[in-house]
Amino acid sequence: MEKTLVLIKPDAVERNLIGKIIALYEANSLKVTKLRMVHADVETATEHYKEHEGRDYFEPLITYITRSPLVAMVLEGENAIQKVRELNGKTNPADAETGTVRKLYGVSYRENTVHASDSQESAEKEINIWF
């Protein structure tokens, strides 16, 4: 079974959406195997988003992800990485498909409710950062 990391970002935690988001993943045959709520520090956030360092949106991204608690979890299932990314929808909630996490709950392009690993390599790296 494939594993992937999902972060339920601060905007969703602040709006009490944790259960609704997890229920969507579970309804699609994904199993939560690890889960923790954490207030990310700048060091962890910087390590997680290292590939974006130096870009104009990097500092606002770090400010956003560290502003309040988030939920980090590992989901497991068949084709988990692809399945989660499809369930999450496009990064910009305005462009996301109906029924996806971001279409249902996303606030904006920057405050888009969830993060998910985009490859097996990223999943392994990101799981190690958060767990």
Side-chain angles (χ1 to χ4, degrees):
M1 287 292 169
E2 190 171 69
K3 293 180 182 181
T4 190
L5 178 92
V6 170
L7 299 178
I8 300 177
K9 295 179 179 180
D11 69 278
V13 173
E14 292 164 1
R15 292 179 291 133
N16 298 318
L17 297 172
I18 298 166
K20 289 179 180 180
I21 293 169
I22 291 172
L24 183 64
Y25 297 135
E26 290 180 328
N28 283 276
S29 302
L30 293 160
K31 181 177 178 135
V32 177
T33 60
K34 293 184 181 183
L35 178 100
R36 70 187 279 238
M37 181 178 275
V38 60
H39 196 141
D41 57 32
V42 172
E43 181 181 330
T44 303
T46 299
E47 184 178 356
H48 179 82
Y49 288 114
K50 191 175 214 62
E51 67 194 53
H52 302 292
E53 213 164 4
R55 296 185 177 146
D56 62 342
Y57 58 84
F58 182 74
E59 289 303 322
L61 180 59
I62 298 301
T63 299
Y64 161 56
I65 207 72
T66 60
R67 80 179 185 201
S68 61
L70 59 80
V71 171
M73 63 183 161
V74 176
L75 296 178
E76 186 177 293
E78 192 171 325
N79 299 316
I81 294 167
Q82 179 183 340
K83 187 179 283 186
V84 168
R85 293 184 66 78
E86 289 171 2
L87 290 168
N88 286 351
K90 293 181 180 176
T91 304
N92 186 346
D95 299 332
E97 298 78 15
T98 300
T100 61
V101 174
R102 289 181 174 136
K103 188 65 161 189
L104 291 167
Y105 307 118
V107 174
S108 67
Y109 183 76
R110 282 220 170 114
E111 293 191 16
N112 59 21
T113 306
V114 288
H115 163 85
S117 303
D118 62 4
S119 67
Q120 186 63 48
E121 180 181 78
S122 292
E124 290 173 16
K125 180 189 92 171
E126 293 173 353
I127 289 167
N128 286 330
I129 291 169
W130 295 97
F131 290 94

